[in-house]
Amino acid sequence: MSAAGDTLDKLVVFLAKRDGIDKLVKTFQYVSKLAHWGAESSLPELARRAKNWETSSGLSRKAFRSARFLTGFNALRRAPAPPGDDGLFFGALAVLANAGEMVYFFFDHFTWLSRAGVLEPWLARRSAYVSAFGESVGYVFFIAMDLIMIRRGVRQERRLLMRDGGGEGGKEAEREKEVRKIRMDRVMRLMATAANAADLIIGIAEVEPNRLCNHTVTLGISGLVSAWAGWYRNWPS
C-alpha cells in the first residue's frame, strides 16, 4: 500500500471519531475567526462570510458534543483505584477534572439550543458562563494530573536508564521498549497539556473577560493550538 493510501486510510479513521470531526470543525471555527479579524476593515464582505462560517462551525461543534457529558460520568464510574502512595490525591484530582468537564458538556446543550433558537435567547449567556466555568475548573485539574504523570514518567525513565542491563540483549531490548513507551506517553501528555491550557484561556475569556484573553488573535491562536494538539493525539498510529 502506498504512503498516500496509508495517510488517506488514517484520515478516514480519524474523521470517523467524534473527537476527530470536532478537531476538524474547530480548525474551521478558529481559522474563520482570524480571517474575520483580518478582513474586517478592508474586506467587509469576506469578513461577513468568515463570521458566518465561524458561527456555523461553533454551533455544529456543540451539536456534535451532544451527550458528551456521559463520557466524564463513565470515566468516574469505571476508573480503577489509583496506584501509589498519592493515589487518593490523584483520584481526587480525577474526580474534580471529570466533574468540571461534565458541567461543561451538560450546560453546553442549553447554549446550543438557545443560540439555535429552540430556547430563549437570554439563556445562552447564562448557560455559556456556567459551561465555561466548569470547563475551566476541569482543565486546571486535567493539567495538574498530566504534569504529575509527566514527572512520574521522567523519574521512571531515569531509573531505567541508570539500571545496568548486565549485557543481556533481552533485558536491554526490554528496557529500550519501556523507555520509548514512557517518552511517547510524555509527548501525548504534553500535547494534552498544551490543548487544555489553550482551552483554559478560551474559558477564562468567557468567565472573566479581559483584554488579553478576549483579543481575537489570542482566542484564534488558542483555538488552533487546541485543535492541532487534538489532531496529533487522535491521529491513528
Side-chain angles (χ1 to χ4, degrees):
M1 184 180 293
S2 66
D6 289 341
T7 301
L8 181 58
D9 286 341
K10 291 179 179 180
L11 180 61
V12 170
V13 172
F14 175 79
L15 294 178
K17 303 176 184 178
R18 172 149 57 174
D19 281 342
I21 197 68
D22 178 69
K23 301 314 174 191
L24 175 64
V25 179
K26 189 171 189 176
T27 301
F28 294 159
Q29 179 182 359
Y30 287 97
V31 165
S32 58
K33 176 181 280 291
L34 291 173
H36 171 262
W37 175 77
E40 190 172 14
S41 58
S42 57
L43 298 168
E45 178 60 22
L46 178 61
R48 183 187 66 81
R49 293 173 183 268
K51 185 63 178 178
N52 290 341
W53 191 16
E54 177 195 349
T55 302
S56 175
S57 298
L59 286 177
S60 297
R61 290 185 61 224
K62 293 182 185 303
F64 295 148
R65 295 197 295 258
S66 296
R68 180 70 181 271
F69 69 94
L70 294 175
T71 302
F73 176 73
N74 199 49
L76 291 176
R77 191 170 68 99
R78 295 294 187 185
D85 297 334
D86 56 349
L88 184 61
F89 172 70
F90 197 81
L93 291 179
V95 169
L96 292 169
N98 283 285
E101 187 180 67
M102 286 169 59
V103 170
Y104 163 43
F105 286 126
F106 181 77
F107 281 91
D108 208 36
H109 291 82
F110 299 103
T111 307
W112 164 46
L113 293 173
S114 179
R115 290 178 178 171
V118 178
L119 299 179
E120 294 297 326
W122 60 265
L123 187 61
R125 180 64 183 171
R126 296 185 181 182
S127 59
Y129 179 88
V130 176
S131 178
F133 184 82
E135 174 187 24
S136 300
V137 170
Y139 288 142
V140 167
F141 290 108
F142 276 126
I143 290 170
M145 290 169 63
D146 280 323
L147 292 178
I148 290 172
M149 294 305 295
I150 289 171
R151 185 182 64 177
R152 287 182 180 178
V154 169
R155 291 177 175 176
Q156 185 180 359
E157 181 183 355
R158 287 175 180 171
R159 287 196 297 268
L160 287 171
L161 293 176
M162 292 173 62
R163 184 187 304 169
D164 185 6
E168 298 182 20
K171 290 185 178 180
E172 187 67 25
E174 183 178 348
R175 182 174 67 173
E176 289 296 325
K177 183 179 179 181
E178 286 295 320
V179 169
R180 284 197 300 270
K181 182 179 178 181
I182 291 170
R183 289 175 178 173
M184 179 56 67
D185 180 74
R186 184 187 308 149
V187 170
M188 289 299 182
R189 291 189 182 279
L190 286 172
M191 289 293 105
T193 301
N196 289 333
D199 284 329
L200 178 59
I201 292 173
I202 298 173
I204 291 173
E206 181 70 37
V207 175
E208 193 66 34
N210 59 83
R211 293 180 62 183
L212 176 61
C213 292
N214 287 78
H215 195 283
T216 304
V217 174
T218 303
L219 292 173
I221 292 176
S222 297
L224 291 177
V225 167
S226 173
W228 293 341
W231 274 80
Y232 185 89
R233 293 172 61 209
N234 289 284
W235 189 258
S237 58

